[in-house]
Amino acid sequence: MTAPDPQTVRDWLIDLQARITDAIGSVDGQAQFLTDAWAKTPGEPLQGDGITKIMESGAVFERAGVGFSHVRGPKLPPSATQHRPELAGAPFEAMGVSLVFHPLNPYVPTVHMNVRMIAAVQPGQVPVCWFGGGMDLTPYYGFEDDCVHFHTVCRDALAPFGDDKYPRFKQWCDEYFFNKHRSEPRGIGGIFYDDFSGDTPTQGFALMQAVGDAFLPAYLPIVQRRVGMPWGERERDHQLYRRGRYVEFNLVWDRGTHFGLQSGGRTESILLSMPPLTRWAYQHQPAPGSPEAALLERFLPPRAWV
Amino acid sequence: MTAPDPQTVRDWLIDLQARITDAIGSVDGQAQFLTDAWAKTPGEPLQGDGITKIMESGAVFERAGVGFSHVRGPKLPPSATQHRPELAGAPFEAMGVSLVFHPLNPYVPTVHMNVRMIAAVQPGQVPVCWFGGGMDLTPYYGFEDDCVHFHTVCRDALAPFGDDKYPRFKQWCDEYFFNKHRSEPRGIGGIFYDDFSGDTPTQGFALMQAVGDAFLPAYLPIVQRRVGMPWGERERDHQLYRRGRYVEFNLVWDRGTHFGLQSGGRTESILLSMPPLTRWAYQHQPAPGSPEAALLERFLPPRAWV
């Protein structure tokens, strides 16, 4: 068995992006995804290209971004090689799909999904590939059914790769998507993994495909269940306030966002994850016993959902 | 001459905070500053106390926060001692006042001011003090008069300390308040300085007083000139979008914010600087020839305002 062919992975990622935007565009019905193909200019430290797809002011999605990117560089950055010091400085390529959807209805949760592959290519040697990614859910109002559904689809997607994967990747997700300055999880979790090669050269790609393919089945039924629920100013205020936590996590703690912004990545593509509208308020606390308080008390603290 | 007495500096800072909130509260007329006195719990790595004053949903100010804090620690963090390696690890105290005001009317600029003193106390030695701070203006619409006024007051405040201070601190401000990932200044600048001891032990405190005392004369006349200007949805959209840049700077690049959040500072006091409402939109560009475009083209690029 050999490492996956980069062109095969690239084609699969571009197709995944198209499948997701087609489905999400249909669900929205009102807005359409704008497609922005970009390429790095010759002379920039990173070379490569990408396709940014973004939908704003939809009926269901206030802002939904899905980015594909594929970059090549002469030297693997240290942040990508902490577990592979022997590859530091090797020529590399990295490709992936990353998405964040911010729905308008506060009863529909925000979702994030990412799948990526990094390959280090040493002259005269077989390329070394590893994979990372995952998906996680950030509700504004907690519904047991939604959390159980999302985690069940995540667990089932990982089942073919061994029973250890879901518990490990679930815990990794809980630990990673955590606002340390608030001692507060970003959402109800999901799965997160990094530096994954698998037991065989093709397992990493197969797991990436399983995660990517599981995204729509994990998320769409939740959208369909919640999108008809009536909401008003109270729910909207709560949603805008909680979105501030999303901004805080992404700009302060998320290694990918922070590294991308500080190292000259494409800002507008990296910040697809920012919410369309966000508010901050001093010492804001939900009323005791309210559904808003239940989110913090019963849903955000890490739980075994399946 | 001796180093300033910490109690004297503390008293002055608390009085400065009160003078500013009194004046800003009067200008607003509708909302009032809430006062939140806090103290670190015994056992936390940093000890100390503070007074957070915050006004929200005012007639003039949508969110206005002024924080005083005074902390003591057993070991000066490396980030505070890059120019004083001999003091790394010494017991220290740090105190300061920091403010950010976000007006409601998009024609009134956002403003930031900070004055702080750090003292390292080595057993058996004279304490070593240094000072930092400054103030800078972030308009949503450019007015030459306002920029010239703000910079003139800054220049005049620093004049007694030598003709080199304003040009140096003005350039420092332009370089510091810069969103590198956008290649864009945060605002029209002002003054910024750090690690300042002065030529005599009392000069650092005197300069801190000059900067703090200059804040109201630098800012209030601009508020008074602009607060009556009518505005609508277009101006509001532009303001909310530009506030996103403020969030990006503070959470990605501002060393104080980032260090505070990552090291266990008081989150709600650090994030007083966050705007009350903010929006993001993909590849948003102001119309050519518009006042919104003029801000980016003619006001944000660093200029000699006086």
Side-chain angles (χ1 to χ4, degrees):
Chain A
M1 282 193 276
T2 57
D5 171 47
Q7 186 63 44
T8 306
V9 180
R10 179 186 166 101
D11 290 347
W12 183 85
L13 288 168
I14 290 175
D15 181 64
L16 175 70
Q17 183 188 35
R19 281 187 285 141
I20 291 173
T21 51
D22 284 354
I24 293 294
S26 293
V27 166
D28 193 86
Q30 175 176 296
Q32 297 202 316
F33 276 94
L34 175 159
T35 297
D36 202 355
W38 53 268
K40 292 277 185 186
T41 2
E44 287 190 82
L46 289 184
Q47 285 297 298
D49 65 331
I51 305 166
T52 295
K53 297 201 182 196
I54 175 95
M55 179 166 75
E56 292 181 314
S57 306
V60 176
F61 296 98
E62 201 177 349
R63 192 166 199 236
V66 192
F68 161 77
S69 72
H70 183 185
V71 296
R72 285 160 226 92
K75 288 178 80 165
L76 199 59
S79 63
T81 52
Q82 46 183 332
H83 299 293
R84 294 181 167 77
E86 74 281 10
L87 294 177
F92 72 99
E93 58 184 299
M95 60 179 96
V97 163
S98 186
L99 66 82
V100 173
F101 296 160
H102 290 287
L104 180 62
N105 186 325
Y107 288 108
V108 183
T110 284
V111 73
H112 162 249
M113 192 276 286
N114 169 237
V115 284
R116 60 185 180 272
M117 178 184 90
I118 299 175
V121 194
Q122 302 265 50
Q125 295 184 25
V126 177
V128 181
C129 296
W130 61 98
F131 296 82
M135 60 178 110
D136 66 287
L137 197 72
T138 306
Y140 302 95
Y141 289 90
F143 295 98
E144 302 262 341
D145 287 0
D146 295 354
C147 304
V148 170
H149 171 79
F150 191 81
H151 276 271
T152 302
V153 176
C154 287
R155 181 197 61 189
D156 294 351
L158 296 177
F161 305 94
D163 288 344
D164 61 319
K165 298 297 179 299
Y166 170 74
R168 264 180 63 207
F169 294 178
K170 191 264 187 206
Q171 187 180 343
W172 205 337
C173 188
D174 287 339
E175 288 164 6
Y176 184 80
F177 292 102
F178 188 76
N179 266 321
K180 295 190 191 71
H181 63 293
R182 305 263 191 193
S183 291
E184 189 182 275
R186 180 170 87 169
I188 62 99
I191 50 176
F192 179 85
Y193 60 102
D194 203 357
D195 243 314
F196 181 76
S197 300
D199 303 324
T200 65
T202 56
Q203 199 190 41
F205 181 36
L207 190 138
M208 173 199 255
Q209 291 174 293
V211 170
D213 290 341
F215 170 71
L216 288 170
Y219 184 56
L220 277 191
I222 297 172
V223 176
Q224 262 131 6
R225 274 205 286 251
R226 304 298 159 208
V227 72
M229 289 179 71
W231 55 277
E233 198 179 335
R234 168 185 171 156
E235 290 83 3
R236 179 67 168 170
D237 275 357
H238 173 67
Q239 177 199 48
L240 297 190
Y241 178 76
R242 295 295 312 169
R243 282 178 177 172
R245 300 291 208 270
Y246 217 83
V247 173
E248 292 173 21
F249 179 81
N250 286 14
L251 297 187
V252 177
W253 298 105
D254 186 57
R255 287 193 293 268
T257 302
H258 221 261
F259 175 80
L261 291 179
Q262 295 205 338
S263 67
R266 190 174 184 267
T267 294
E268 287 287 303
S269 297
I270 296 167
L271 296 183
L272 285 185
S273 61
M274 290 293 105
L277 202 64
T278 307
R279 76 180 182 96
W280 275 269
Y282 185 70
Q283 297 278 50
H284 177 74
Q285 299 288 348
S290 66
E292 292 82 7
L295 176 76
L296 277 79
E297 290 159 13
R298 298 201 296 115
F299 288 86
L300 295 190
R303 278 168 62 177
W305 289 107
V306 290
Chain B
M1 283 195 275
T2 58
D5 171 47
Q7 187 63 43
T8 306
V9 180
R10 180 185 165 101
D11 291 346
W12 184 83
L13 287 168
I14 290 174
D15 181 64
L16 175 70
Q17 185 189 34
R19 282 187 283 141
I20 290 172
T21 51
D22 284 354
I24 293 294
S26 295
V27 167
D28 193 85
Q30 174 176 296
Q32 296 203 317
F33 275 93
L34 175 159
T35 297
D36 201 356
W38 53 268
K40 292 276 184 186
T41 1
E44 287 189 82
L46 289 183
Q47 286 297 298
D49 65 331
I51 305 166
T52 295
K53 297 203 182 195
I54 174 97
M55 179 167 76
E56 293 180 314
S57 306
V60 176
F61 295 98
E62 200 176 350
R63 191 163 199 240
V66 193
F68 161 78
S69 72
H70 183 186
V71 297
R72 285 161 226 91
K75 288 176 80 163
L76 197 59
S79 63
T81 52
Q82 43 183 334
H83 299 292
R84 294 182 167 77
E86 74 280 10
L87 294 177
F92 72 98
E93 58 184 297
M95 61 178 95
V97 163
S98 186
L99 67 81
V100 173
F101 296 160
H102 290 287
L104 180 61
N105 186 324
Y107 288 108
V108 184
T110 284
V111 73
H112 162 249
M113 192 275 287
N114 169 237
V115 284
R116 59 184 181 272
M117 179 185 88
I118 299 176
V121 194
Q122 303 264 51
Q125 295 185 26
V126 177
V128 181
C129 296
W130 61 99
F131 297 81
M135 61 178 107
D136 67 285
L137 197 72
T138 306
Y140 303 95
Y141 289 90
F143 294 97
E144 301 262 340
D145 287 1
D146 296 354
C147 304
V148 170
H149 171 79
F150 191 81
H151 276 271
T152 302
V153 176
C154 287
R155 182 198 60 189
D156 293 352
L158 296 177
F161 306 94
D163 289 344
D164 61 319
K165 297 297 179 300
Y166 170 74
R168 263 179 62 208
F169 294 179
K170 191 264 186 206
Q171 187 181 344
W172 205 338
C173 188
D174 288 338
E175 288 164 5
Y176 184 80
F177 293 102
F178 188 77
N179 266 321
K180 294 190 193 70
H181 62 295
R182 305 261 190 195
S183 291
E184 188 182 275
R186 180 169 87 169
I188 62 98
I191 50 175
F192 179 85
Y193 61 102
D194 203 357
D195 243 315
F196 181 77
S197 299
D199 303 323
T200 67
T202 55
Q203 198 190 41
F205 181 36
L207 190 139
M208 173 199 254
Q209 291 174 293
V211 171
D213 289 341
F215 170 72
L216 289 171
Y219 184 56
L220 277 191
I222 297 172
V223 176
Q224 262 131 4
R225 272 205 286 251
R226 304 297 159 207
V227 72
M229 290 178 69
W231 55 278
E233 199 179 334
R234 168 185 170 156
E235 290 83 3
R236 179 66 167 168
D237 275 356
H238 172 68
Q239 177 199 48
L240 297 189
Y241 179 77
R242 295 295 313 170
R243 281 177 176 173
R245 299 292 208 268
Y246 216 82
V247 172
E248 291 174 21
F249 180 82
N250 286 15
L251 297 186
V252 177
W253 298 106
D254 187 58
R255 288 192 293 269
T257 302
H258 221 259
F259 175 81
L261 293 179
Q262 296 206 336
S263 67
R266 189 172 186 268
T267 294
E268 288 287 305
S269 298
I270 296 167
L271 296 184
L272 286 184
S273 61
M274 290 293 105
L277 202 63
T278 307
R279 76 180 182 97
W280 276 270
Y282 184 69
Q283 297 279 52
H284 177 73
Q285 299 288 347
S290 66
E292 292 82 6
L295 176 77
L296 278 79
E297 290 158 13
R298 297 201 296 117
F299 288 87
L300 295 190
R303 278 168 61 177
W305 289 106
V306 290

